[in-house]
Amino acid sequence: MATILDLIGNTPLVELKNMTKHLPDNIHIYAKLERFNPGGSVKDRPALCMIQDGIDSGKLTPDKIILDSTSGNTGIALAMIGAVLNYKVRLVMPGNVSDERKRICRAYGADLIFSDPLEGSDGAILEARRIYEADSDRYFKPDQYNNPANPRSHEESTGPEIWRDTDGTVTHFIASLGTSGTLVGTGRFLKRSNPDIQIIAAEPDSPFHGIEGLKHIESSIVPGIYDASVHDQKIPISTEEAYDFTQQLALQEGLLCGQSCGCAMAAALKVAETMMKQGQAANIVAIFPDSGEKYLTTAVFSGNRMMDGAGI
Ligand code: PMP
């Protein structure tokens, strides 16, 4: 009999038809909808892989508490998986992450510790490190920023799924950057399958951005798993662009998305427009990491043009 954990992965790939009307017929943009994972985001994949790896290596024993720093989705995934496998989960997150995320983690029974919002995700990383070092025997720290099981989960699942679902015709792969696990793992698999596939990182254009879940790598603690040799290109995306495209995805494509989907979509359209100018065909696949419900009370959906009736 299957458990909820067996539903992780094999997320659908859908074509975006309305926001691409200005493009020629030989250019397609597909979104891989990671919201269909049971925890609601792409992070179910690495969370399960890191926990499984911990169990297999003997580092995660039944008496240990799973501890990590997370801006939210990994926390939700760890909390959900912890509930299924009977582990206690303790999460450190910046105090300003959306209220919905905090409530979801608590609903799965996780214990939350808040770090200084002004220090962002780096503050949460340092606080989790302090807690771990003070009492390391008590904890299992998956450490998503440095754990090779994070990109490996994508190398073993996200990448093969994209290859399979496009019948090997994918030409460009786009992922936004948080820990970089999605980009690095999926990119490795796709490059190995066909070295011509362009691997593209969609990155916030400044250290002070409002795209939840993402990192501006140059100005952050660089994740140990980050491998700059995997991507061919990085496209900087502003918070305004990411928000605008997030709103348009709901209005035009019926996809209520998190802001990092808007970020990936902005990059996908830039790539598509470049290919159009060059007169070339393209099958662009963008990762859409989660859905919009968790962000309804945040700036991206409050007081925007939807409320002004422009969507009627
Ligand atoms: N979007 C959202 C909403 C996320 O939570 C994350 C993970 N922090 C990402 C994108 C980036 O994924 P990754 O950590 O694999 O780079």
Side-chain angles (χ1 to χ4, degrees):
M1 180 61 88
T3 75
I4 192 79
L5 303 184
D6 296 304
L7 301 183
I8 294 174
N10 280 313
T11 52
L13 197 61
V14 298
E15 183 165 5
L16 304 179
K17 297 269 197 185
N18 290 329
M19 290 172 76
T20 54
K21 276 190 180 139
H22 60 296
L23 299 171
D25 290 346
N26 62 357
I27 297 183
H28 304 274
I29 298 180
Y30 303 95
K32 188 158 173 65
L33 301 180
E34 290 297 302
R35 64 191 296 173
F36 283 95
N37 285 301
S41 87
V42 68
K43 303 304 303 202
D44 283 6
R45 298 174 190 264
L48 181 60
C49 195
M50 292 188 295
I51 288 179
Q52 198 57 57
D53 196 66
I55 295 169
D56 294 346
S57 66
K59 287 186 190 148
L60 175 55
T61 45
D63 54 310
K64 291 213 171 159
I65 299 171
I66 298 171
L67 168 76
D68 216 340
S69 56
T70 165
S71 61
N73 279 328
T74 304
I76 292 170
L78 290 172
M80 174 196 69
I81 297 164
V84 180
L85 299 179
N86 298 310
Y87 288 101
K88 280 198 184 129
V89 177
R90 185 161 291 163
L91 304 169
V92 185
M93 56 179 73
N96 60 341
V97 307
S98 71
D99 206 34
E100 293 91 332
R101 287 187 182 214
K102 296 176 189 167
R103 286 172 190 247
I104 295 167
C105 292
R106 285 203 177 110
Y108 286 122
D111 175 28
L112 308 190
I113 295 166
F114 299 116
S115 57
D116 186 343
L118 294 177
E119 290 174 21
S121 60
D122 285 353
I125 293 174
L126 295 174
E127 181 62 19
R129 209 175 275 170
R130 263 194 298 276
I131 295 170
Y132 179 76
E133 278 162 10
D135 204 356
S136 60
D137 287 348
R138 248 179 113 195
Y139 295 108
F140 168 74
K141 199 161 174 294
D143 193 5
Q144 57 169 339
Y145 291 93
N146 297 296
N147 190 334
N150 173 359
R152 195 173 70 236
S153 70
H154 294 288
E155 198 169 346
E156 290 173 353
S157 67
T158 318
E161 290 168 28
I162 291 171
W163 184 253
R164 178 193 71 200
D165 292 344
T166 61
D167 293 321
T169 65
V170 54
T171 57
H172 297 75
F173 171 70
I174 297 174
S176 53
L177 282 178
T179 65
S180 78
T182 310
L183 182 92
V184 169
T186 312
R188 275 188 188 139
F189 177 86
L190 293 175
K191 274 282 182 203
R192 212 166 46 239
S193 306
N194 175 359
D196 292 338
I197 297 174
Q198 295 296 294
I199 308 299
I200 297 156
E203 190 185 38
D205 68 351
S206 85
F208 304 105
H209 65 87
I211 316 174
E212 271 195 58
L214 301 193
K215 251 178 183 289
H216 179 255
I217 294 275
E218 283 79 18
S219 61
S220 314
I221 301 172
V222 178
I225 58 167
Y226 179 63
D227 177 355
S229 73
V230 176
H231 59 267
D232 298 280
Q233 195 191 346
K234 252 190 200 179
I235 300 183
I237 304 293
S238 70
T239 298
E240 294 87 76
E241 280 176 292
Y243 282 16
D244 188 39
F245 281 105
T246 303
Q247 292 166 10
Q248 292 306 319
L249 282 165
L251 289 168
Q252 295 193 45
E253 300 285 353
L255 288 172
L256 188 63
C257 288
Q259 306 137 13
S260 64
C261 304
C263 179
M265 186 61 188
L269 279 168
K270 285 180 205 276
V271 170
E273 282 153 16
T274 304
M275 296 303 282
M276 178 167 71
K277 280 191 200 122
Q278 294 172 356
Q280 291 186 46
N283 284 334
I284 301 161
V285 173
I287 293 285
F288 277 23
D290 66 357
S291 68
E293 283 88 346
K294 292 188 292 274
Y295 309 99
L296 289 174
T297 58
T298 68
V300 64
F301 291 119
S302 48
N304 67 24
R305 68 200 71 168
M306 292 162 132
M307 314 298 174
D308 300 330
I312 293 168

